[in-house]
Amino acid sequence: MTAKEESEENVIYVGNKPPMSYVLAVVTQFNSGSTEVVIKARGRAISRAVDAAEITRNRFVQDAKIKEIRIGTEAITNEEGRTSNVSSIEISLSK
Amino acid sequence: MTAKEESEENVIYVGNKPPMSYVLAVVTQFNSGSTEVVIKARGRAISRAVDAAEITRNRFVQDAKIKEIRIGTEAITNEEGRTSNVSSIEISLSK
């Protein structure tokens, strides 16, 4: 296993499922021994990523701290070949 | 004018308008001499707050830096008296 694959294991990508799905994924990562979990999202899922981080911290992993929050812009190419920009967020939780 | 009122002038609250409305508000704040502008949002508007910060930084105020990003949880009481939790974000831009 390469170093990159190892780090990717700690990343939870937030999409359109209910927030608790992602909370469960984050809690599972911490319970399996990870000391840092990164929650990533783009576009409208950004709000859900913040929900997942907050619910995890407030209810399930109360010793988890917000280590870093980064925002950015990614270019996405759609099926017709047009590119558009979408905002992104990365929330690093550590304990 | 008290110190609190002065600091409130630098806060842009993001709601349901198009992101460019808030970009304009942020750019106007910087152009009026502010060196720091705080973008705040709750719930689903969080994604739009990130959009507003990114568009401001990438297109209009390119020397603006992200000073700090904070997330939190606020309790909201609805008209029926029930309380529910909502996530919040504060993005501080400085130049």
Side-chain angles (χ1 to χ4, degrees):
Chain A
M1 189 181 288
T2 70
K4 186 167 190 307
E5 279 168 347
E6 277 178 21
S7 69
E8 284 295 305
E9 283 182 5
N10 299 335
V11 178
I12 308 294
Y13 291 93
V14 172
N16 291 317
K17 292 181 198 167
M20 285 306 287
S21 308
Y22 306 106
V23 171
L24 181 65
V26 174
V27 172
T28 303
Q29 270 300 319
F30 275 125
N31 285 347
S32 72
S34 295
T35 55
E36 182 169 348
V37 178
V38 181
I39 303 170
K40 293 190 182 185
R42 297 196 292 200
R44 290 188 193 170
I46 288 174
S47 312
R48 202 168 295 120
V50 175
D51 288 342
E54 283 295 298
I55 295 169
T56 300
R57 247 171 21 105
N58 291 333
R59 289 202 232 157
F60 295 99
V61 190
Q62 283 160 352
D63 54 345
K65 305 233 180 308
I66 296 165
K67 188 182 172 191
E68 191 181 11
I69 303 172
R70 292 197 294 179
I71 60 175
T73 303
E74 296 179 15
I76 287 191
T77 307
N78 70 6
E79 292 167 1
E80 294 159 6
R82 281 185 223 154
T83 57
S84 56
N85 289 329
V86 66
S87 299
S88 62
I89 197 167
E90 292 183 22
I91 304 169
S92 300
L93 295 179
S94 66
K95 72 168 189 176
Chain B
M1 191 181 289
T2 69
K4 185 166 192 308
E5 280 168 348
E6 279 179 21
S7 69
E8 284 296 306
E9 284 183 4
N10 299 335
V11 178
I12 310 294
Y13 291 93
V14 172
N16 292 318
K17 294 181 196 167
M20 285 305 287
S21 307
Y22 306 106
V23 171
L24 181 64
V26 175
V27 172
T28 303
Q29 270 299 320
F30 275 125
N31 286 347
S32 72
S34 295
T35 55
E36 182 169 349
V37 178
V38 181
I39 303 169
K40 293 189 182 186
R42 295 195 293 199
R44 290 190 193 170
I46 288 174
S47 311
R48 202 168 295 121
V50 175
D51 289 342
E54 283 295 300
I55 295 169
T56 300
R57 246 168 26 102
N58 291 334
R59 288 202 232 158
F60 297 98
V61 190
Q62 283 160 353
D63 53 347
K65 306 236 180 305
I66 295 166
K67 188 181 170 191
E68 192 181 10
I69 303 173
R70 291 195 295 177
I71 61 175
T73 303
E74 296 180 14
I76 287 191
T77 307
N78 70 6
E79 292 166 0
E80 294 159 6
R82 281 185 224 155
T83 57
S84 55
N85 289 329
V86 65
S87 299
S88 62
I89 197 167
E90 293 184 22
I91 304 169
S92 300
L93 295 178
S94 67
K95 72 167 190 178

